[in-house]
Amino acid sequence: MSSASTSVVLDALIGCDRTGRITVWNEAAASLFGYAEAEVLGKPYVVLMPSRFRPAHEQALQTRGMHPPKELLTGRRRWIGQRKDGGEFPFDMSIRWWMVAGGTCLVGSIAAVSDESTPEESSPDVSATHFDTTIAEAMPQLVWLTNAAGQFEYCNRRWYEYVGLTPADLELIGEKGIVPPDERAEWIQEWVQSLATGQPFERECHLRRADGEYRWFLNRSIPLRDARGRVRQWLGTSTDIHEWKLAQTLIAAQRDDLEALVMQRTHELRETVAALQAEAQAHENAQLTAQASERRLQSALDGARDFVWDYDCLTGEVYRSSGWSTMLGYDEAPFDSSIAHWMEIAHPEDQVIAHQAFRDFIAGKTEFHDAEYRLRDASGAWRWIASKGKIVARAADGAPLRAAGTSADITERKIAEAALETAREEAERASRAKSEFLENMSHELRTPLNSIIGFASVLRRNRSQNLGAGELTYLDRIHANGVALLRLIDDVLDAAKIEAGRMEITISTVLLDEMIRDLVAQCEAQARPGVRVIAELPSHPLYLRADALRLRQVLLNQLSNAIKFTETGSITVAVVCSDAREPLRIEVRDTGIGISPERAATIFDSFEQVDSGTARLYGGTGLGLAISRALCEQMGFTLTMSSEQGVGSTFTIGIGRPAAT
Ligand code: ADP
């Protein structure tokens, strides 16, 4: 606000040369500024303005001389002048280039001077009279004033200092672009909007400082209106909020960090709570499982009528579960928990052994305790107890601290075992008696039977020629049946010996090929007409360690069976050798009736024949194969069979070991 109350002087003219020195000064100018022409001619024009504006003008003069921007030459603009008496006053001035003697000169034409006493008349920009530059200069903010069209008319010193411009640059602000390029478009849009509507302008944005740094500012601008309410000017302030903004950004970042931290902590807390809940659940489950398992164990112990014991190796104290008193029928009360009372009721025969076994166990000599002993129950009877235990805790040096285990009443089992042993002994004794009887009987039967066969043979010779054909036939039958009976008795005798474990064999070196040739020759005549009996032998002699008599018996049994069950075809006795010419197996093959798979499994059992019809049709006792297999096994051989019904059978004696010659 001007403090002047100067009258209006129209058409004051002030001209300057290119160095800024006053060359034109008329009456009106003298009257306006209080200087006579002589006083100002040749002086720099800055003497006509307050000293605070001078440095910027002087600097501008130095850099580019009197070359005001184009905008200054196009219209009337507001200036602040200083009269000779020091008083300041605003005035409107339009600037033009004039041709004067000596060249061009810049002439300012002052058409009107503002006067606060007559605002309406002195100037159309009456609102400007309300704007006090003194206050503006004292304000800490950047203060600026524009005309109604938004063009800068005034900026305070702080503003110039901040942006690094001079008053002469005022018109260049738009070009200099103190608002960053990326914020400029929005700034202009809002500013134009305010200019168009007259609404106050407010915007936070960066403004470039003289050193090039962009700082945050809160920019506000309000319209200054004339008496008729028309906007004449815009008064703006730019408040440096850079530190506040940075603090705000920092706070926002810290808040974001804090929120992230809180979320993370919340998440961790949730996870911890979930883990704790899971752990608690697992613990509860484990407890339930343990309780269930304890109940099951107790039920099992109750069911088994066992009891559990737990022995403290250091104090000698024993804990026993309730099954202890139930098992023996004692009340718990009279018993202490020591081993001593156990000795009192232990059977005298078991005391030492069982106690020693337990002492060895708790001394760590044995890992497990396993003992059976008798204890006297409440009724005075002896009960068998089986105790099993384990060392369950040890000291650092390995010495046993605690032992635990179970004890079961095995009296019934012991009684059953004893009964079984008695029965077995009885059976063995009976079996021995039966075998002895059979042996004796066989001997008793053989003696008269040999006589019968012998005498029948003698009579069959018919030396006296006094026997007729019919009588000779009877003698043949007596002889044949006698031989069959003798074989039966021999078989029964062998079976009895085998069963009684009294069959004795004598191993010697046997010339196998010779034995087989001999047997084949002996049996050929017994084969049905047309059935060939063949020996398949290698050309070299075959030796075998065996009981010659019993091996012959086995081979004869197989050959006899083959002959008996073969109507057509052939019977072969073959020896299969390894490369070393050692016999590996002897096979007796026939092309007879064969054996069904169902029956093949049982033919090696005693008294087994394929069916009762076989016995009637072919005779035999069903003992031959059982005896043969037992004899083979005693000689270290095997006897196996393969057969196909209607095709034939093969009986194999597996030697499986080299012969010693
Ligand atoms: P058996 O003295 O009755 O012949 P074995 O023990 O020697 O007694 O034979 C038992 C049964 O095995 C015979 O009754 C017969 O049914 C059957 N068997 C043995 N060898 C043969 C064979 N080579 N062919 C067909 N069946 C046979």
Side-chain angles (χ1 to χ4, degrees), residues 487 491 557-566 588 590 592-595 603-611 614-615 618-628 641 643 648-651:
R487 270 195 30 218
D491 279 358
N557 182 251
Q558 309 318 311
L559 262 170
S560 303
N561 279 346
I563 289 166
K564 200 157 58 173
F565 298 109
T566 306
V588 180
D590 66 55
I593 60 172
I595 304 163
I603 56 165
F604 287 101
D605 298 342
S606 296
F607 305 107
E608 273 294 332
Q609 292 183 323
V610 168
D611 55 51
T614 312
Y618 299 102
T621 58
L623 282 171
L625 286 177
I627 293 168
S628 294
M641 189 276 304
S643 182
S649 311
T650 300
F651 284 82

mmCIF file of all heavy atoms in Angstrom, residues 487 491 557-566 588 590 592-595 603-611 614-615 618-628 641 643 648-651, ligand 1:
data_model
loop_
_atom_site.group_PDB
_atom_site.id
_atom_site.type_symbol
_atom_site.label_atom_id
_atom_site.label_comp_id
_atom_site.label_asym_id
_atom_site.label_seq_id
_atom_site.Cartn_x
_atom_site.Cartn_y
_atom_site.Cartn_z
ATOM 1 N N ARG A 487 8.298 -161.808 2.277
ATOM 2 C CA ARG A 487 8.576 -160.410 1.918
ATOM 3 C C ARG A 487 7.780 -159.439 2.805
ATOM 4 O O ARG A 487 8.274 -158.410 3.247
ATOM 5 C CB ARG A 487 8.248 -160.161 0.446
ATOM 6 C CG ARG A 487 9.482 -160.427 -0.400
ATOM 7 C CD ARG A 487 9.419 -159.901 -1.807
ATOM 8 N NE ARG A 487 8.625 -158.726 -2.039
ATOM 9 C CZ ARG A 487 7.893 -158.548 -3.116
ATOM 10 N NH1 ARG A 487 7.825 -159.493 -4.030
ATOM 11 N NH2 ARG A 487 7.217 -157.428 -3.288
ATOM 12 N N ASP A 491 9.235 -156.715 5.195
ATOM 13 C CA ASP A 491 8.837 -155.298 5.124
ATOM 14 C C ASP A 491 8.376 -154.796 6.484
ATOM 15 O O ASP A 491 8.765 -153.706 6.933
ATOM 16 C CB ASP A 491 7.706 -155.104 4.094
ATOM 17 C CG ASP A 491 8.254 -155.046 2.677
ATOM 18 O OD1 ASP A 491 9.497 -155.112 2.523
ATOM 19 O OD2 ASP A 491 7.458 -154.944 1.729
ATOM 20 N N ASN A 557 12.872 -152.782 -5.153
ATOM 21 C CA ASN A 557 11.500 -152.340 -4.887
ATOM 22 C C ASN A 557 10.970 -151.504 -6.062
ATOM 23 O O ASN A 557 9.848 -151.696 -6.523
ATOM 24 C CB ASN A 557 11.463 -151.533 -3.588
ATOM 25 C CG ASN A 557 10.055 -151.090 -3.223
ATOM 26 O OD1 ASN A 557 9.732 -149.926 -3.317
ATOM 27 N ND2 ASN A 557 9.202 -152.042 -2.845
ATOM 28 N N GLN A 558 11.832 -150.608 -6.589
ATOM 29 C CA GLN A 558 11.386 -149.762 -7.699
ATOM 30 C C GLN A 558 11.178 -150.604 -8.953
ATOM 31 O O GLN A 558 10.193 -150.437 -9.680
ATOM 32 C CB GLN A 558 12.398 -148.642 -8.018
ATOM 33 C CG GLN A 558 12.844 -147.805 -6.830
ATOM 34 C CD GLN A 558 11.712 -147.442 -5.894
ATOM 35 O OE1 GLN A 558 10.654 -146.959 -6.314
ATOM 36 N NE2 GLN A 558 11.896 -147.746 -4.616
ATOM 37 N N LEU A 559 12.135 -151.511 -9.191
ATOM 38 C CA LEU A 559 12.026 -152.366 -10.388
ATOM 39 C C LEU A 559 10.780 -153.250 -10.299
ATOM 40 O O LEU A 559 10.027 -153.409 -11.271
ATOM 41 C CB LEU A 559 13.268 -153.244 -10.503
ATOM 42 C CG LEU A 559 14.344 -152.718 -11.483
ATOM 43 C CD1 LEU A 559 15.623 -153.521 -11.331
ATOM 44 C CD2 LEU A 559 13.832 -152.804 -12.924
ATOM 45 N N SER A 560 10.537 -153.815 -9.101
ATOM 46 C CA SER A 560 9.376 -154.700 -8.905
ATOM 47 C C SER A 560 8.088 -153.936 -9.167
ATOM 48 O O SER A 560 7.179 -154.419 -9.851
ATOM 49 C CB SER A 560 9.344 -155.250 -7.484
ATOM 50 O OG SER A 560 10.543 -155.911 -7.217
ATOM 51 N N ASN A 561 7.997 -152.711 -8.600
ATOM 52 C CA ASN A 561 6.805 -151.882 -8.827
ATOM 53 C C ASN A 561 6.637 -151.588 -10.307
ATOM 54 O O ASN A 561 5.530 -151.686 -10.856
ATOM 55 C CB ASN A 561 6.907 -150.564 -8.060
ATOM 56 C CG ASN A 561 6.527 -150.716 -6.588
ATOM 57 O OD1 ASN A 561 5.935 -151.747 -6.211
ATOM 58 N ND2 ASN A 561 6.858 -149.736 -5.762
ATOM 59 N N ALA A 562 7.749 -151.196 -10.981
ATOM 60 C CA ALA A 562 7.686 -150.859 -12.411
ATOM 61 C C ALA A 562 7.183 -152.051 -13.214
ATOM 62 O O ALA A 562 6.299 -151.915 -14.083
ATOM 63 C CB ALA A 562 9.055 -150.409 -12.902
ATOM 64 N N ILE A 563 7.727 -153.228 -12.882
ATOM 65 C CA ILE A 563 7.311 -154.442 -13.604
ATOM 66 C C ILE A 563 5.835 -154.724 -13.334
ATOM 67 O O ILE A 563 5.051 -155.038 -14.230
ATOM 68 C CB ILE A 563 8.200 -155.636 -13.188
ATOM 69 C CG1 ILE A 563 9.615 -155.435 -13.779
ATOM 70 C CG2 ILE A 563 7.604 -156.970 -13.601
ATOM 71 C CD1 ILE A 563 10.671 -156.339 -13.193
ATOM 72 N N LYS A 564 5.445 -154.506 -12.042
ATOM 73 C CA LYS A 564 4.079 -154.813 -11.618
ATOM 74 C C LYS A 564 3.065 -153.916 -12.327
ATOM 75 O O LYS A 564 1.995 -154.359 -12.739
ATOM 76 C CB LYS A 564 3.976 -154.608 -10.099
ATOM 77 C CG LYS A 564 2.824 -155.315 -9.457
ATOM 78 C CD LYS A 564 3.060 -155.569 -7.971
ATOM 79 C CE LYS A 564 3.329 -154.335 -7.160
ATOM 80 N NZ LYS A 564 3.380 -154.619 -5.728
ATOM 81 N N PHE A 565 3.402 -152.649 -12.537
ATOM 82 C CA PHE A 565 2.411 -151.710 -13.073
ATOM 83 C C PHE A 565 2.611 -151.383 -14.556
ATOM 84 O O PHE A 565 2.050 -150.430 -15.061
ATOM 85 C CB PHE A 565 2.433 -150.420 -12.246
ATOM 86 C CG PHE A 565 2.053 -150.637 -10.804
ATOM 87 C CD1 PHE A 565 2.987 -150.558 -9.770
ATOM 88 C CD2 PHE A 565 0.728 -150.971 -10.469
ATOM 89 C CE1 PHE A 565 2.626 -150.784 -8.457
ATOM 90 C CE2 PHE A 565 0.373 -151.187 -9.140
ATOM 91 C CZ PHE A 565 1.313 -151.103 -8.129
ATOM 92 N N THR A 566 3.446 -152.152 -15.253
ATOM 93 C CA THR A 566 3.678 -151.895 -16.683
ATOM 94 C C THR A 566 3.182 -153.071 -17.523
ATOM 95 O O THR A 566 3.704 -154.182 -17.405
ATOM 96 C CB THR A 566 5.174 -151.621 -16.951
ATOM 97 O OG1 THR A 566 5.598 -150.565 -16.080
ATOM 98 C CG2 THR A 566 5.417 -151.205 -18.392
ATOM 99 N N VAL A 588 14.558 -144.953 -12.293
ATOM 100 C CA VAL A 588 13.853 -146.175 -12.711
ATOM 101 C C VAL A 588 12.599 -145.698 -13.432
ATOM 102 O O VAL A 588 11.687 -145.148 -12.811
ATOM 103 C CB VAL A 588 13.512 -147.074 -11.500
ATOM 104 C CG1 VAL A 588 12.790 -148.329 -11.972
ATOM 105 C CG2 VAL A 588 14.769 -147.442 -10.726
ATOM 106 N N ASP A 590 9.361 -146.197 -16.167
ATOM 107 C CA ASP A 590 8.503 -147.205 -16.801
ATOM 108 C C ASP A 590 7.457 -146.519 -17.660
ATOM 109 O O ASP A 590 7.263 -145.307 -17.581
ATOM 110 C CB ASP A 590 7.863 -148.115 -15.739
ATOM 111 C CG ASP A 590 6.892 -147.364 -14.842
ATOM 112 O OD1 ASP A 590 5.951 -146.729 -15.366
ATOM 113 O OD2 ASP A 590 7.061 -147.402 -13.592
ATOM 114 N N GLY A 592 4.261 -147.533 -17.586
ATOM 115 C CA GLY A 592 3.101 -148.206 -17.014
ATOM 116 C C GLY A 592 1.903 -147.295 -16.817
ATOM 117 O O GLY A 592 1.750 -146.278 -17.505
ATOM 118 N N ILE A 593 1.087 -147.667 -15.804
ATOM 119 C CA ILE A 593 -0.218 -146.997 -15.625
ATOM 120 C C ILE A 593 -0.086 -145.580 -15.058
ATOM 121 O O ILE A 593 -1.006 -144.781 -15.153
ATOM 122 C CB ILE A 593 -1.151 -147.835 -14.719
ATOM 123 C CG1 ILE A 593 -0.514 -148.018 -13.326
ATOM 124 C CG2 ILE A 593 -1.470 -149.187 -15.354
ATOM 125 C CD1 ILE A 593 -1.458 -148.673 -12.316
ATOM 126 N N GLY A 594 1.069 -145.275 -14.436
ATOM 127 C CA GLY A 594 1.266 -143.931 -13.885
ATOM 128 C C GLY A 594 0.472 -143.700 -12.603
ATOM 129 O O GLY A 594 -0.307 -144.554 -12.168
ATOM 130 N N ILE A 595 0.673 -142.551 -11.969
ATOM 131 C CA ILE A 595 0.011 -142.232 -10.687
ATOM 132 C C ILE A 595 -0.614 -140.840 -10.805
ATOM 133 O O ILE A 595 0.029 -139.915 -11.310
ATOM 134 C CB ILE A 595 1.035 -142.247 -9.528
ATOM 135 C CG1 ILE A 595 1.746 -143.608 -9.474
ATOM 136 C CG2 ILE A 595 0.392 -141.937 -8.190
ATOM 137 C CD1 ILE A 595 3.022 -143.618 -8.667
ATOM 138 N N ILE A 603 2.016 -141.537 -1.657
ATOM 139 C CA ILE A 603 2.487 -142.920 -1.883
ATOM 140 C C ILE A 603 3.739 -143.267 -1.088
ATOM 141 O O ILE A 603 4.050 -144.436 -0.910
ATOM 142 C CB ILE A 603 2.758 -143.224 -3.383
ATOM 143 C CG1 ILE A 603 3.758 -142.215 -3.944
ATOM 144 C CG2 ILE A 603 1.481 -143.292 -4.192
ATOM 145 C CD1 ILE A 603 4.332 -142.684 -5.261
ATOM 146 N N PHE A 604 4.442 -142.222 -0.545
ATOM 147 C CA PHE A 604 5.627 -142.535 0.256
ATOM 148 C C PHE A 604 5.277 -142.784 1.723
ATOM 149 O O PHE A 604 6.154 -143.030 2.528
ATOM 150 C CB PHE A 604 6.666 -141.406 0.144
ATOM 151 C CG PHE A 604 7.370 -141.380 -1.184
ATOM 152 C CD1 PHE A 604 7.006 -140.491 -2.169
ATOM 153 C CD2 PHE A 604 8.399 -142.293 -1.450
ATOM 154 C CE1 PHE A 604 7.649 -140.469 -3.394
ATOM 155 C CE2 PHE A 604 9.041 -142.276 -2.680
ATOM 156 C CZ PHE A 604 8.669 -141.372 -3.666
ATOM 157 N N ASP A 605 3.954 -142.636 2.037
ATOM 158 C CA ASP A 605 3.547 -142.924 3.416
ATOM 159 C C ASP A 605 3.364 -144.439 3.579
ATOM 160 O O ASP A 605 3.015 -145.137 2.630
ATOM 161 C CB ASP A 605 2.220 -142.204 3.742
ATOM 162 C CG ASP A 605 2.387 -140.697 3.640
ATOM 163 O OD1 ASP A 605 3.562 -140.239 3.674
ATOM 164 O OD2 ASP A 605 1.386 -139.982 3.491
ATOM 165 N N SER A 606 3.572 -144.918 4.815
ATOM 166 C CA SER A 606 3.442 -146.359 5.078
ATOM 167 C C SER A 606 2.031 -146.843 4.798
ATOM 168 O O SER A 606 1.053 -146.124 5.054
ATOM 169 C CB SER A 606 3.783 -146.647 6.541
ATOM 170 O OG SER A 606 5.136 -146.325 6.765
ATOM 171 N N PHE A 607 1.926 -148.012 4.302
ATOM 172 C CA PHE A 607 0.648 -148.680 4.019
ATOM 173 C C PHE A 607 -0.194 -147.911 2.996
ATOM 174 O O PHE A 607 -1.392 -148.031 2.959
ATOM 175 C CB PHE A 607 -0.180 -148.916 5.296
ATOM 176 C CG PHE A 607 0.584 -149.673 6.348
ATOM 177 C CD1 PHE A 607 1.049 -149.048 7.491
ATOM 178 C CD2 PHE A 607 0.857 -151.035 6.173
ATOM 179 C CE1 PHE A 607 1.768 -149.750 8.444
ATOM 180 C CE2 PHE A 607 1.578 -151.726 7.132
ATOM 181 C CZ PHE A 607 2.040 -151.101 8.274
ATOM 182 N N GLU A 608 0.427 -147.096 2.168
ATOM 183 C CA GLU A 608 -0.323 -146.348 1.158
ATOM 184 C C GLU A 608 -0.247 -147.060 -0.185
ATOM 185 O O GLU A 608 0.834 -147.346 -0.705
ATOM 186 C CB GLU A 608 0.261 -144.928 1.003
ATOM 187 C CG GLU A 608 -0.331 -143.925 1.969
ATOM 188 C CD GLU A 608 -1.798 -143.648 1.713
ATOM 189 O OE1 GLU A 608 -2.245 -143.770 0.558
ATOM 190 O OE2 GLU A 608 -2.508 -143.324 2.693
ATOM 191 N N GLN A 609 -1.409 -147.328 -0.718
ATOM 192 C CA GLN A 609 -1.488 -147.807 -2.084
ATOM 193 C C GLN A 609 -2.426 -146.848 -2.798
ATOM 194 O O GLN A 609 -3.168 -146.105 -2.167
ATOM 195 C CB GLN A 609 -2.043 -149.228 -2.124
ATOM 196 C CG GLN A 609 -1.055 -150.232 -1.502
ATOM 197 C CD GLN A 609 -1.534 -151.655 -1.596
ATOM 198 O OE1 GLN A 609 -2.725 -151.921 -1.461
ATOM 199 N NE2 GLN A 609 -0.615 -152.569 -1.809
ATOM 200 N N VAL A 610 -2.337 -146.824 -4.113
ATOM 201 C CA VAL A 610 -3.157 -145.849 -4.831
ATOM 202 C C VAL A 610 -4.633 -146.047 -4.507
ATOM 203 O O VAL A 610 -5.351 -145.128 -4.215
ATOM 204 C CB VAL A 610 -2.872 -145.913 -6.340
ATOM 205 C CG1 VAL A 610 -3.910 -145.121 -7.123
ATOM 206 C CG2 VAL A 610 -1.481 -145.342 -6.607
ATOM 207 N N ASP A 611 -5.087 -147.241 -4.478
ATOM 208 C CA ASP A 611 -6.434 -147.550 -3.994
ATOM 209 C C ASP A 611 -6.497 -149.018 -3.604
ATOM 210 O O ASP A 611 -5.564 -149.783 -3.865
ATOM 211 C CB ASP A 611 -7.510 -147.195 -5.044
ATOM 212 C CG ASP A 611 -7.224 -147.890 -6.353
ATOM 213 O OD1 ASP A 611 -7.008 -149.120 -6.336
ATOM 214 O OD2 ASP A 611 -7.180 -147.194 -7.407
ATOM 215 N N THR A 614 -5.845 -151.658 -6.120
ATOM 216 C CA THR A 614 -4.455 -151.939 -6.510
ATOM 217 C C THR A 614 -3.943 -153.151 -5.751
ATOM 218 O O THR A 614 -3.299 -154.038 -6.304
ATOM 219 C CB THR A 614 -3.566 -150.710 -6.192
ATOM 220 O OG1 THR A 614 -4.206 -149.550 -6.688
ATOM 221 C CG2 THR A 614 -2.188 -150.849 -6.804
ATOM 222 N N ALA A 615 -4.272 -153.132 -4.455
ATOM 223 C CA ALA A 615 -3.814 -154.235 -3.614
ATOM 224 C C ALA A 615 -4.376 -155.557 -4.122
ATOM 225 O O ALA A 615 -3.659 -156.559 -4.225
ATOM 226 C CB ALA A 615 -4.235 -153.994 -2.172
ATOM 227 N N TYR A 618 -2.767 -156.078 -7.882
ATOM 228 C CA TYR A 618 -1.315 -156.265 -8.036
ATOM 229 C C TYR A 618 -0.630 -156.779 -6.778
ATOM 230 O O TYR A 618 0.566 -157.035 -6.788
ATOM 231 C CB TYR A 618 -0.660 -154.927 -8.410
ATOM 232 C CG TYR A 618 -1.169 -154.355 -9.709
ATOM 233 C CD1 TYR A 618 -2.087 -153.320 -9.735
ATOM 234 C CD2 TYR A 618 -0.699 -154.861 -10.940
ATOM 235 C CE1 TYR A 618 -2.541 -152.785 -10.922
ATOM 236 C CE2 TYR A 618 -1.159 -154.327 -12.129
ATOM 237 C CZ TYR A 618 -2.072 -153.288 -12.124
ATOM 238 O OH TYR A 618 -2.516 -152.759 -13.291
ATOM 239 N N GLY A 619 -1.375 -156.875 -5.698
ATOM 240 C CA GLY A 619 -0.769 -157.333 -4.450
ATOM 241 C C GLY A 619 0.064 -156.233 -3.843
ATOM 242 O O GLY A 619 -0.015 -155.079 -4.245
ATOM 243 N N GLY A 620 0.909 -156.574 -2.836
ATOM 244 C CA GLY A 620 1.760 -155.568 -2.199
ATOM 245 C C GLY A 620 1.165 -155.090 -0.891
ATOM 246 O O GLY A 620 -0.008 -155.299 -0.606
ATOM 247 N N THR A 621 2.070 -154.464 -0.090
ATOM 248 C CA THR A 621 1.673 -154.054 1.266
ATOM 249 C C THR A 621 1.532 -152.549 1.422
ATOM 250 O O THR A 621 0.997 -152.065 2.415
ATOM 251 C CB THR A 621 2.744 -154.511 2.267
ATOM 252 O OG1 THR A 621 3.990 -153.903 1.857
ATOM 253 C CG2 THR A 621 2.884 -156.008 2.278
ATOM 254 N N GLY A 622 2.082 -151.808 0.480
ATOM 255 C CA GLY A 622 2.073 -150.336 0.614
ATOM 256 C C GLY A 622 3.182 -149.867 1.546
ATOM 257 O O GLY A 622 3.191 -148.716 1.972
ATOM 258 N N LEU A 623 4.167 -150.728 1.847
ATOM 259 C CA LEU A 623 5.271 -150.346 2.735
ATOM 260 C C LEU A 623 6.560 -150.060 1.965
ATOM 261 O O LEU A 623 7.453 -149.365 2.450
ATOM 262 C CB LEU A 623 5.556 -151.475 3.740
ATOM 263 C CG LEU A 623 4.601 -151.588 4.926
ATOM 264 C CD1 LEU A 623 4.885 -152.876 5.707
ATOM 265 C CD2 LEU A 623 4.743 -150.381 5.840
ATOM 266 N N GLY A 624 6.654 -150.605 0.736
ATOM 267 C CA GLY A 624 7.915 -150.564 -0.036
ATOM 268 C C GLY A 624 8.478 -149.160 -0.201
ATOM 269 O O GLY A 624 9.663 -148.924 0.081
ATOM 270 N N LEU A 625 7.671 -148.212 -0.652
ATOM 271 C CA LEU A 625 8.192 -146.867 -0.927
ATOM 272 C C LEU A 625 8.584 -146.143 0.356
ATOM 273 O O LEU A 625 9.583 -145.425 0.389
ATOM 274 C CB LEU A 625 7.157 -146.037 -1.699
ATOM 275 C CG LEU A 625 6.991 -146.408 -3.176
ATOM 276 C CD1 LEU A 625 5.895 -145.589 -3.821
ATOM 277 C CD2 LEU A 625 8.304 -146.193 -3.932
ATOM 278 N N ALA A 626 7.773 -146.355 1.417
ATOM 279 C CA ALA A 626 8.102 -145.712 2.698
ATOM 280 C C ALA A 626 9.454 -146.212 3.196
ATOM 281 O O ALA A 626 10.310 -145.418 3.627
ATOM 282 C CB ALA A 626 7.005 -145.998 3.717
ATOM 283 N N ILE A 627 9.669 -147.556 3.111
ATOM 284 C CA ILE A 627 10.945 -148.134 3.559
ATOM 285 C C ILE A 627 12.082 -147.625 2.657
ATOM 286 O O ILE A 627 13.143 -147.212 3.141
ATOM 287 C CB ILE A 627 10.873 -149.684 3.539
ATOM 288 C CG1 ILE A 627 9.869 -150.155 4.611
ATOM 289 C CG2 ILE A 627 12.243 -150.290 3.765
ATOM 290 C CD1 ILE A 627 9.493 -151.623 4.495
ATOM 291 N N SER A 628 11.816 -147.611 1.330
ATOM 292 C CA SER A 628 12.852 -147.179 0.379
ATOM 293 C C SER A 628 13.302 -145.748 0.673
ATOM 294 O O SER A 628 14.494 -145.442 0.681
ATOM 295 C CB SER A 628 12.323 -147.253 -1.061
ATOM 296 O OG SER A 628 12.075 -148.587 -1.399
ATOM 297 N N MET A 641 9.653 -138.838 -7.031
ATOM 298 C CA MET A 641 8.884 -139.491 -8.079
ATOM 299 C C MET A 641 8.221 -138.452 -8.966
ATOM 300 O O MET A 641 7.786 -137.399 -8.480
ATOM 301 C CB MET A 641 7.820 -140.352 -7.384
ATOM 302 C CG MET A 641 7.027 -141.276 -8.242
ATOM 303 S SD MET A 641 5.615 -140.491 -9.046
ATOM 304 C CE MET A 641 4.716 -139.831 -7.689
ATOM 305 N N SER A 643 5.318 -138.571 -12.307
ATOM 306 C CA SER A 643 4.491 -139.547 -13.019
ATOM 307 C C SER A 643 3.384 -138.854 -13.797
ATOM 308 O O SER A 643 2.972 -137.745 -13.449
ATOM 309 C CB SER A 643 3.880 -140.516 -11.991
ATOM 310 O OG SER A 643 3.111 -141.491 -12.660
ATOM 311 N N GLY A 648 3.312 -143.157 -17.641
ATOM 312 C CA GLY A 648 4.402 -143.839 -16.961
ATOM 313 C C GLY A 648 4.909 -143.057 -15.775
ATOM 314 O O GLY A 648 4.453 -141.946 -15.508
ATOM 315 N N SER A 649 5.874 -143.681 -15.061
ATOM 316 C CA SER A 649 6.411 -143.059 -13.846
ATOM 317 C C SER A 649 7.930 -143.124 -13.878
ATOM 318 O O SER A 649 8.515 -144.003 -14.516
ATOM 319 C CB SER A 649 5.933 -143.794 -12.592
ATOM 320 O OG SER A 649 4.532 -143.977 -12.643
ATOM 321 N N THR A 650 8.545 -142.180 -13.147
ATOM 322 C CA THR A 650 10.004 -142.203 -12.966
ATOM 323 C C THR A 650 10.292 -142.005 -11.487
ATOM 324 O O THR A 650 9.858 -141.005 -10.889
ATOM 325 C CB THR A 650 10.682 -141.076 -13.776
ATOM 326 O OG1 THR A 650 10.384 -141.268 -15.155
ATOM 327 C CG2 THR A 650 12.188 -141.096 -13.566
ATOM 328 N N PHE A 651 10.995 -142.967 -10.893
ATOM 329 C CA PHE A 651 11.443 -142.858 -9.507
ATOM 330 C C PHE A 651 12.929 -142.540 -9.552
ATOM 331 O O PHE A 651 13.692 -143.197 -10.261
ATOM 332 C CB PHE A 651 11.169 -144.153 -8.742
ATOM 333 C CG PHE A 651 9.698 -144.285 -8.389
ATOM 334 C CD1 PHE A 651 8.786 -144.755 -9.324
ATOM 335 C CD2 PHE A 651 9.240 -143.904 -7.134
ATOM 336 C CE1 PHE A 651 7.442 -144.851 -9.005
ATOM 337 C CE2 PHE A 651 7.885 -143.999 -6.813
ATOM 338 C CZ PHE A 651 6.987 -144.475 -7.753
HETATM 339 P P1 ADP B 1 3.478 -152.024 -2.689
HETATM 340 O O1 ADP B 1 4.287 -153.045 -1.987
HETATM 341 O O2 ADP B 1 2.015 -152.081 -2.399
HETATM 342 O O3 ADP B 1 3.811 -151.885 -4.110
HETATM 343 P P2 ADP B 1 4.820 -149.566 -2.493
HETATM 344 O O4 ADP B 1 5.050 -148.669 -1.323
HETATM 345 O O5 ADP B 1 6.022 -150.092 -3.165
HETATM 346 O O6 ADP B 1 3.859 -150.667 -1.999
HETATM 347 O O7 ADP B 1 3.914 -148.781 -3.532
HETATM 348 C C1 ADP B 1 2.840 -148.074 -3.086
HETATM 349 C C2 ADP B 1 1.882 -147.840 -4.201
HETATM 350 O O8 ADP B 1 2.460 -146.947 -5.118
HETATM 351 C C3 ADP B 1 1.592 -149.011 -5.031
HETATM 352 O O9 ADP B 1 0.558 -149.798 -4.448
HETATM 353 C C4 ADP B 1 1.129 -148.412 -6.341
HETATM 354 O O10 ADP B 1 -0.230 -148.050 -6.257
HETATM 355 C C5 ADP B 1 1.988 -147.208 -6.425
HETATM 356 N N1 ADP B 1 3.158 -147.414 -7.277
HETATM 357 C C6 ADP B 1 4.437 -147.660 -6.868
HETATM 358 N N2 ADP B 1 5.262 -147.770 -7.922
HETATM 359 C C7 ADP B 1 4.489 -147.564 -9.043
HETATM 360 C C8 ADP B 1 4.745 -147.565 -10.466
HETATM 361 N N3 ADP B 1 5.972 -147.756 -10.946
HETATM 362 N N4 ADP B 1 3.705 -147.367 -11.325
HETATM 363 C C9 ADP B 1 2.447 -147.131 -10.832
HETATM 364 N N5 ADP B 1 2.147 -147.148 -9.507
HETATM 365 C C10 ADP B 1 3.141 -147.358 -8.633
#
